[in-house]
Amino acid sequence: MNDSTDNVVWKAYSEQNELGHDIIIILPGREKKRIFALGSILAAKAPALIALMNTEVSPKEIDLTSSDLLSSSIKAVLDFVHGAHDTDPPRIALTQDYAALCSTLHAADYCGAQACKLWVENIIIKDHISNLEPNELRRLTENARACHADPLYEAAGEELAKRAPVDVLAKTDSQVLAEIVDRHVPKRQRRVQELAVVTSNGKLLIYDTATGSSLRTVDAHNDDINYVAYSFDGSMVATASDDETARLWNTDTYAYLHTLQHNN
């Protein structure tokens, strides 16, 4: 849209002029506040909302009262997609409060508002990550992964790997912890922290010795594994099994490298 069209859309939305709007959004909360919105804007900038639309009423409705989102966060997303931030300076200032930003991040993900989500991610990265205490940083990292907020997940995970103490890392979601180790713990340090355990059903289990968390499970053999050993430089681990094979694994990725045959 050109500037003049943008201004018309924003004016109609900001004044909540019923004329020209074809969708009513019912916000969460007891008040069930209603906001007029433009369907073409939502389809382009918050398409997940369109999937929730009730087309059997006129005007069409999107009822969000059953969601666990805050009405203020949904409103912030709607403001953004209707042009609140399309000018310099912005038409209205969106929140800079950390808790409100986290709530808006969830709302943007729920609505499929990718541009809004990226804006929120950048503000959190720029203004808040370095100031969060470790448990808040852990929760942010887990939430960023749940919201598919990739730039924020990468930045928060890196910060968490740098300065979170062991007791905080031990509380971290196991999948998040494994990805943090893979992405942000230097390989040499990572090998020192890893412990390889083998099982009677042919599995190679890798644990983080600092936290006790499981990092990876490898289906290594078809029979009991009797022996496991790391190479001197830590770049490989070897397993030997009752299936009469010894196998080598790359410790960066635990990809299979080679099989050696043995009789005992």
Side-chain angles (χ1 to χ4, degrees):
M1 289 185 289
N2 59 39
D3 288 345
S4 61
T5 305
D6 284 345
N7 287 332
V8 169
V9 169
W10 174 254
K11 186 173 187 298
Y13 169 77
S14 62
E15 294 176 359
Q16 281 297 283
N17 183 351
E18 183 175 355
L19 184 63
H21 288 82
D22 55 348
I23 293 178
I24 291 176
I25 298 177
I26 307 173
L27 296 179
R30 293 180 180 178
E31 300 85 359
K32 296 186 177 182
K33 184 177 179 181
R34 293 169 175 250
I35 291 182
F36 292 107
L38 190 62
S40 59
I41 293 290
L42 298 183
K45 299 183 178 182
L49 285 179
I50 295 296
L52 303 175
M53 185 168 59
N54 180 1
T55 59
E56 296 181 358
V57 296
S58 182
K60 300 165 187 173
E61 289 184 352
I62 299 173
D63 188 349
L64 301 179
T65 55
S66 62
S67 78
D68 59 357
L69 300 167
L70 296 177
S71 60
S72 58
S73 301
I74 293 288
K75 178 64 164 55
V77 174
L78 293 173
D79 288 348
F80 187 97
V81 301
H82 282 86
H85 250 239
D86 289 352
T87 58
D88 187 15
R91 291 177 171 115
I92 60 172
L94 298 186
T95 182
Q96 304 290 308
D97 174 75
Y98 174 69
L101 284 167
C102 289
S103 182
T104 303
L105 180 72
H106 281 283
D109 183 61
Y110 182 89
C111 297
Q114 297 301 320
C116 182
K117 184 164 72 171
L118 185 59
W119 179 85
V120 173
E121 290 181 67
N122 288 335
I123 294 297
I124 294 176
I125 292 170
K126 177 176 175 288
D127 295 339
H128 295 283
I129 274 185
S130 61
N131 300 320
L132 296 178
E133 61 91 15
N135 269 308
E136 283 184 321
L137 190 57
R138 172 182 61 81
R139 287 189 288 270
L140 175 64
T141 306
E142 293 170 342
N143 290 339
R145 187 177 190 275
C147 289
H148 312 287
D150 295 340
L152 180 58
Y153 181 51
E154 184 72 16
E158 182 176 7
E159 189 74 12
L160 189 65
K162 283 180 184 176
R163 58 185 180 90
V166 170
D167 63 320
V168 172
L169 289 175
K171 299 175 186 175
T172 305
D173 173 85
S174 60
Q175 187 62 48
V176 171
L177 183 60
E179 290 174 356
I180 287 173
V181 170
D182 267 349
R183 296 180 184 187
H184 302 299
V185 176
K187 291 183 175 65
R188 181 173 296 178
Q189 179 184 347
R190 189 190 315 165
R191 289 171 190 148
V192 171
Q193 291 181 190
E194 288 179 354
L195 172 67
V197 177
V198 294
T199 71
S200 60
N201 62 353
K203 294 188 185 300
L204 170 64
L205 310 177
I206 307 301
Y207 291 91
D208 185 331
T209 58
T211 66
S213 298
S214 173
L215 298 178
R216 196 181 299 267
T217 298
V218 181
D219 291 319
H221 291 268
N222 297 320
D223 207 337
D224 294 3
I225 303 177
N226 300 310
Y227 300 99
V228 62
Y230 283 96
S231 63
F232 179 77
D233 66 356
S235 64
M236 293 183 292
V237 64
T239 54
S241 166
D242 283 347
D243 65 8
E244 298 187 347
T245 66
R247 293 178 178 170
L248 299 178
W249 309 88
N250 180 306
T251 53
D252 286 344
T253 62
Y254 285 90
Y256 163 78
L257 295 175
H258 188 64
T259 295
L260 302 170
Q261 299 294 323
H262 69 85
N263 296 322
N264 186 7

